[in-house]
Amino acid sequence: SSKLNPSAYEGIGFAITSEDAVPIIEDLIEFGYVAGRPRIGITFNMISSVMAELYGTKAGLYIVSISPDCDVANTDLQPYDIITSINGVPVESTEDVDKAIEGCVPGDTLTATVYRISLTGEETTFEISFKLESWDEVYEQENDDE
């Protein structure tokens, strides 16, 4: 939707339909999170194609940490690796990750292309497969710890 405003503002506003918002709000009220959302189990920094060119590396998701309770931790993925694509979709941002896992649910298996450069400068590219996890388990564990 949009709005008209005679002041110095640009006069454009955005809205989310109640059809989209209500299920999310209900989950937040009931659980404290949005139920059924998948997670990979990684923490990353984004490397854009511009940054990659500047630093002589690959664009993608620079892995900072891997959650040990996720299936991705059972792969060859390591901190400092760069995930360049997920299910064939190039990834450089959280929006790209969202696009790559759109329609996926916890338990689905994904394939990612990983780029690694060793301390000696040796470059390797390989693929990993892992299952998506559920945020539900994370929040249940946090509540059990309290």
Side-chain angles (χ1 to χ4, degrees):
S1 84
S2 66
K3 64 181 179 180
L4 296 175
N5 190 344
S7 68
Y9 298 102
E10 74 280 346
I12 299 174
F14 297 96
I16 298 172
T17 65
S18 59
E19 184 178 293
D20 291 334
V22 168
I24 292 171
I25 294 166
E26 288 173 345
D27 276 359
L28 290 172
I29 291 169
E30 183 176 349
F31 306 114
Y33 61 94
V34 182
R37 293 270 173 107
R39 74 183 183 118
I40 296 172
I42 58 173
T43 304
F44 62 88
N45 290 325
M46 299 172 286
I47 301 176
S48 69
S49 52
V50 172
M51 287 177 54
E53 187 175 331
L54 182 64
Y55 292 107
T57 189
K58 302 278 185 183
L61 311 177
Y62 179 78
I63 304 302
V64 175
S65 65
I66 303 167
S67 185
D69 64 337
C70 291
D71 190 50
V72 74
N74 300 321
T75 68
D76 290 334
L77 187 67
Q78 299 175 5
Y80 313 115
D81 286 344
I82 299 171
I83 294 177
T84 57
S85 70
I86 297 175
N87 277 356
V89 176
V91 289
E92 295 181 20
S93 67
T94 53
E95 292 83 10
D96 292 341
V97 175
D98 289 343
K99 188 185 310 180
I101 66 172
E102 185 176 20
C104 294
V105 296
D108 285 353
T109 300
L110 302 180
T111 302
T113 303
V114 180
Y115 169 76
R116 178 180 295 157
I117 186 163
S118 71
L119 292 174
T120 61
E122 182 182 344
E123 299 177 56
T124 56
T125 301
F126 57 94
E127 287 194 350
I128 59 169
S129 292
F130 57 92
K131 289 185 180 180
L132 288 173
E133 304 293 331
S134 171
W135 280 105
D136 301 4
E137 294 144 12
V138 173
Y139 289 99
E140 288 170 9
Q141 179 66 36
E142 286 177 359
N143 289 331
D144 290 344
D145 292 343
E146 291 177 359

